[in-house]
Amino acid sequence: MHIDIAGLPPERIHFEISPLAELGLALHALSEPGHHPGLHGWATATSAALEPDLADRLHEADFLWRNTFSDVFMPFAGVRGGDGRTGASLAEDLDILDRLDDERFVTAALEFTCASLYGTGTPSPLGNATMRARALDMAAARGPKQVEFTQQLLADPGSVRSWVRRLFEDCDQAFFADTWQRVQVQLAADARHKTELLRRKGLDEAVGAVSAALSLDEDASRISVDKLTEGRTNAADPAVGAGLTLIPTSFGWPHLMVLHAPGWRPVIHYPVHRPELPSPASVELLQLRMEALAHPMRMRLCRNLARSPYTTGELADSHSITAPEVSRHLAVLKKAGLVTTRRRGRYVLHSLDLTVVARLGSDFLEGVLR
């Protein structure tokens, strides 16, 4: 994922907090607690306390935040002629959502029906018969409630928008106001810290502090985000009100999301750093490790190396293969960072790095969810 920033003045890069964006990820955590084991207690207690009517309505609309994270949660990035700034409260964020025109609201709300076309700038289903038919067809694959929602949204966007706003307001009254009061201090402190880093030490330092999955190219013309998905956007495009917004979240880990819809201001939605969370492995390194372990002989070698250190000769003798063959397999495992070596006299001993191997499952999960 790439964000072009060539020619973008530093003052057009903002670290902001957004109650509406945080509500979206809180709702996601409620609907997909398996993605967020650290929030299990909060999700369980919050779900148990929901009134049945609100729980039913959340279930009815959960495709807005469950399978995809709809851009309706970051309307400040899509308001035509807007300044790209978030609201100071959920009510202000919802007022910004009301300013989003119907075409953009509908397209963002129906993101779950056209995720593969997200970055292509397709026509709105409100005015294009082909996209309208596609939206209804894709909604049918999700289920009847998605079909009904899509039909109502296409027929009467205004009534659905009012229903969505009322739903978010009821969430605020039921649980989110207390949640936001608790997390906003940390989020505001993070945004201030990153803003100060940007001002004092430059964009490279600020980007590095956001996430190890972000990097700034040598000529400072592009920010790259290490994700399995692909996409590109231009933060310096005056047609979208040139600028880049970065928003911290307490509910987001392991998700690191990039809003890159055509015509919208780019947004990086990143989890605030917590000391207990390890730095994310790169997608390339994760792929390298999984490919290294996919070979049956290397799996058998790992069985030995997990138990105790072995020399190349010992491994060759144990598996009835030649020492050069063992060396070739060990080279693949070493390149993937799975095996360590140490010398004892004239012997070189190889061991499986159990800490790295133990993280493979969580690294894989984080990589596919990032």
Side-chain angles (χ1 to χ4, degrees):
M1 185 76 67
H2 303 292
I3 303 173
D4 295 320
I5 58 170
L8 182 68
E11 60 269 18
R12 302 289 300 190
I13 300 174
H14 302 292
F15 287 89
E16 304 258 344
I17 63 174
S18 168
L20 183 55
E22 193 72 351
L23 172 60
L25 277 174
L27 292 172
H28 172 75
L30 284 177
S31 63
E32 289 288 356
H35 292 187
H36 308 273
L39 298 173
H40 180 74
W42 174 87
T44 301
T46 301
S47 295
L50 290 177
E51 293 290 338
D53 173 68
L54 180 56
D56 288 344
R57 284 186 288 147
L58 288 176
H59 180 66
E60 185 177 345
D62 69 0
F63 47 82
L64 290 174
W65 54 78
R66 186 169 197 157
N67 305 103
T68 57
F69 186 74
S70 171
D71 290 342
V72 299
F73 291 104
M74 292 187 278
F76 61 88
V79 172
R80 301 181 197 274
D83 58 5
R85 308 309 290 261
T86 62
S89 64
L90 181 63
E92 289 187 14
D93 264 352
L94 291 176
D95 288 343
I96 297 173
L97 179 60
D98 288 343
R99 291 167 51 201
L100 203 64
D101 63 54
D102 280 348
E103 283 195 352
R104 291 199 165 180
F105 181 91
V106 169
T107 301
L110 295 180
E111 190 178 316
F112 72 96
T113 71
C114 56
S116 64
L117 303 176
Y118 177 83
T120 62
T122 55
S124 167
L126 280 180
N128 184 278
T130 300
M131 291 306 299
R132 184 185 187 91
R134 174 185 169 84
L136 290 168
D137 184 55
M138 297 295 287
R142 293 287 184 186
K145 67 176 181 177
Q146 284 84 352
V147 173
E148 183 180 357
F149 176 89
T150 302
Q151 290 172 335
Q152 291 178 348
L153 185 60
L154 292 172
D156 187 6
S159 66
V160 175
R161 296 182 66 159
S162 297
W163 183 89
V164 169
R165 173 163 185 150
R166 188 164 57 252
L167 174 65
F168 293 162
E169 290 171 339
D170 289 347
C171 287
D172 191 48
Q173 184 175 358
F175 66 89
F176 185 69
D178 291 338
T179 299
W180 178 247
Q181 187 175 13
R182 175 173 54 84
V183 304
Q184 68 170 324
V185 175
Q186 179 193 26
L187 298 182
D190 185 90
R192 284 195 301 271
H193 173 63
K194 301 294 193 303
T195 299
E196 190 66 10
L197 274 179
L198 177 63
R199 186 181 69 84
R200 295 171 62 89
K201 297 188 176 181
L203 184 58
D204 191 33
E205 287 282 342
V207 164
V210 167
S211 171
L214 266 62
S215 60
L216 183 66
D217 287 7
E218 288 185 5
D219 60 358
S221 65
R222 185 175 70 178
I223 295 173
S224 297
V225 188
D226 188 32
K227 289 172 66 73
L228 280 169
T229 187
E230 296 182 1
R232 191 175 195 122
T233 186
N234 186 358
D237 184 358
V240 296
L244 172 66
T245 303
L246 298 96
I247 298 180
T249 168
S250 290
F251 284 86
W253 190 88
H255 307 301
L256 174 64
M257 292 177 286
V258 181
L259 190 164
H260 62 285
W264 290 56
R265 180 189 182 97
V267 179
I268 298 175
H269 200 186
Y270 66 93
V272 292
H273 175 69
R274 300 209 305 269
E276 71 272 18
L277 296 177
S279 296
S282 70
V283 171
E284 181 182 5
L285 181 58
L286 176 62
Q287 181 177 343
L288 195 66
R289 288 174 174 170
M290 298 184 74
E291 289 174 347
L293 292 174
H295 194 285
M297 178 52 71
R298 289 195 284 273
M299 286 283 287
R300 287 196 286 272
L301 293 175
C302 285
R303 185 173 185 271
N304 295 91
L305 299 173
R307 285 166 165 74
S308 65
Y310 275 76
T311 67
T312 301
E314 287 176 320
L315 290 169
D317 184 67
S318 296
H319 295 279
S320 300
I321 59 176
T322 66
E325 285 181 281
V326 172
S327 294
R328 284 194 291 271
H329 286 304
L330 288 175
V332 174
L333 293 169
K334 289 176 187 176
K335 185 178 180 181
L338 297 168
V339 165
T340 61
T341 61
R342 62 183 175 88
R343 181 172 291 277
R344 188 180 65 195
R346 65 189 183 91
Y347 296 102
V348 175
L349 298 173
H350 310 282
S351 301
L352 192 67
D353 191 327
L354 298 180
T355 302
V356 170
V357 175
R359 269 202 51 82
L360 274 176
S362 54
D363 280 345
F364 173 75
L365 184 62
E366 182 180 349
V368 297
L369 292 178
R370 186 182 307 157

